[in-house]
Amino acid sequence: MDGKGTTRQEVMLGGLAGICSGYLFKNVSKYAAASAVVGYLVLQGASRSGYIKVNWKKVNETIEDIKEDIVEEVTEIVEDSETLVIENEGQLAATARKLYAALRENAATSGSFTGGFILGVLFA
């Protein structure tokens, strides 16, 4: 909040928003998981029935290309780890400082939202 509300109002608002968010998260995630499973089963059935033909050669080529790219990236990081740490150190410190300031400024709302979210997920 911007200082216009009392701490009690901030805690109540954060807790209520957390409970609602947790409840919706749990219920929506159930339906999303069920939809993904049903979609997968439909695709498998269509594939086995001959409605869908998968070009496995192209799939394997794409996987190999991605694997080569990942190996190159990891090799660069391992070979030049000093540069990687130095380049990202300032950005990481700045991000941590901003996060700490935001959490300190909104401690009541953030804490009550987190607690409410957990309650919403548990009791949905």
Side-chain angles (χ1 to χ4, degrees):
M1 298 221 122
D2 57 343
K4 294 181 181 177
T6 64
T7 303
R8 184 182 318 153
Q9 290 172 331
E10 290 178 17
V11 169
M12 288 173 54
L13 179 64
L16 182 61
I19 289 171
C20 293
S21 297
Y23 180 81
L24 288 173
F25 174 78
K26 187 165 183 183
N27 287 325
V28 169
S29 64
K30 285 180 190 176
Y31 295 119
S35 298
V37 169
V38 169
Y40 174 76
L41 293 175
V42 167
L43 286 174
Q44 285 294 336
S47 176
R48 290 194 182 264
S49 299
Y51 290 106
I52 297 175
K53 300 254 187 226
V54 178
N55 185 350
W56 288 109
K57 183 178 179 184
K58 187 169 183 170
V59 170
N60 288 329
E61 288 173 359
T62 303
I63 290 173
E64 286 300 319
D65 290 343
I66 292 171
K67 187 174 95 174
E68 289 173 8
D69 291 343
I70 291 172
V71 168
E72 288 175 13
E73 293 283 332
V74 170
T75 303
E76 287 178 21
I77 291 170
V78 169
E79 290 176 353
D80 200 15
S81 62
E82 293 291 323
T83 304
L84 178 71
V85 171
I86 292 170
E87 286 176 358
N88 292 328
E89 189 173 20
Q91 183 180 2
L92 181 63
T95 303
R97 197 174 308 112
K98 288 177 187 176
L99 178 64
Y100 176 72
L103 289 176
R104 185 181 51 192
E105 183 178 319
N106 300 315
T109 308
S110 301
S112 61
F113 177 85
T114 303
F117 185 84
I118 292 169
L119 288 174
V121 168
L122 291 176
F123 294 114

